[in-house]
Amino acid sequence: MRNHADTKKLPARRPEPAAPASRPPRERDTYRHGDLKRALLEAGMALAREGGPQAIVLREATRRVGVVPNAAYRHFTNREALLQAVRAAALSQLALAMEDELARLSPEIPASALARARLRAIGAGYLSFARKEPGLFRTAFAMPDRVEGDTDPAKAGRSGLNPFQLLGQALDELVTARSLPPERRPGAEYLAWSAVHGLAMLMLDGPLRGLAPDQVRAVGEHLLDMVERGL
């Protein structure tokens, strides 16, 4: 029988190395699929469409794009900077809607009738945009910036004019066509704008929210008649 002391000791087995713990995927700090600034702006516009200006949050925009929040600071230093960019883009979209209405007019009609039709088209485009894009419309007027002398191209449509400038141009054409006395031209932008914007807000957030589409159109037409006659 073998003596216990003669039993050869086997070396102790080393413990197997533990498998590395799985790490969550790291958020990208760079944007590899194009223009990060444009992507953040588009994310901000999507947020505005969903919830108006209050929904525009820089961290949420970066999450949707797929980058860490610090990556956005090279383009937008804070939420207000992104809000201003989205607001400018919303004003540009409004200008495009107004220009689309203008493009439907026939240039063959007499100058005086064309000038009045162009003013109505400006108002119709404004009201149409408010109904179709309520979040962007609210965002477009979320900041109390002055409109006089604003030449920011980001707020313009295809013509290079922003909504306020398009309205001013239509009023100038009324004067040229002798449909608006020159002495009544100063400040006419504010009168026309106040009336149309007021109706838009009543339809979006006020007691006119429940109007049927045909009623909306009828009320809009009556308002534009009143603006045209009242200038």
Side-chain angles (χ1 to χ4, degrees):
M1 193 168 182
R2 293 172 59 187
N3 192 309
H4 180 70
D6 295 335
T7 304
K8 186 177 181 181
K9 277 190 170 183
L10 296 175
R13 294 183 61 188
R14 295 181 181 178
E16 295 183 2
S22 60
R23 296 179 181 176
R26 183 182 176 186
E27 277 191 291
R28 289 183 287 117
D29 58 3
T30 58
Y31 190 69
R32 297 191 177 93
H33 301 289
D35 184 350
L36 176 56
K37 184 176 183 180
R38 169 56 58 179
L40 290 169
L41 176 58
E42 290 175 354
M45 292 187 71
L47 290 169
R49 283 189 167 100
E50 294 167 14
Q54 294 81 10
I56 301 172
V57 178
L58 189 57
R59 182 173 291 272
E60 175 60 17
T62 60
R63 188 193 69 79
R64 293 191 177 197
V65 173
V67 297
V68 296
N70 286 347
Y73 297 145
R74 293 191 293 270
H75 306 291
F76 302 106
T77 55
N78 51 33
R79 175 193 178 264
E80 184 175 347
L82 178 60
L83 174 59
Q84 285 282 20
V86 174
R87 176 176 174 268
L91 284 167
S92 176
Q93 292 295 309
L94 173 56
L96 290 170
M98 296 160 79
E99 289 172 347
D100 287 343
E101 290 292 331
L102 290 170
R104 295 189 178 97
L105 301 178
S106 170
E108 303 301 324
I109 60 179
S112 59
L114 179 59
R116 290 192 296 272
R118 286 179 64 83
L119 178 64
R120 294 181 69 90
I122 292 292
Y126 195 97
L127 293 172
S128 175
F129 183 79
R131 293 194 304 270
K132 293 177 181 176
E133 294 280 11
L136 289 182
F137 183 81
R138 293 185 181 99
T139 302
F141 302 103
M143 306 291 285
D145 297 346
R146 292 182 64 84
V147 293
E148 300 88 347
D150 189 345
T151 57
D152 183 357
K155 300 173 183 176
R158 288 179 294 268
S159 65
L161 302 178
N162 62 39
F164 187 73
Q165 292 166 334
L166 285 168
L167 173 58
Q169 183 183 70
L171 291 167
D172 289 341
E173 291 172 356
L174 278 177
V175 174
T176 301
R178 299 185 179 182
S179 295
L180 176 65
E183 63 273 15
R184 293 171 62 180
R185 171 64 183 87
E189 294 98 332
Y190 305 108
L191 301 177
W193 187 12
S194 298
V196 178
H197 187 81
L199 177 59
M201 296 308 299
L202 288 172
M203 289 179 172
L204 290 182
D205 300 322
L208 301 184
R209 284 178 297 177
L211 291 182
D214 58 338
Q215 292 176 304
V216 169
R217 286 190 292 271
V219 171
E221 287 297 319
H222 286 315
L223 178 79
L224 296 176
D225 287 341
M226 183 188 75
V227 170
E228 184 182 335
R229 291 195 302 266
L231 289 175

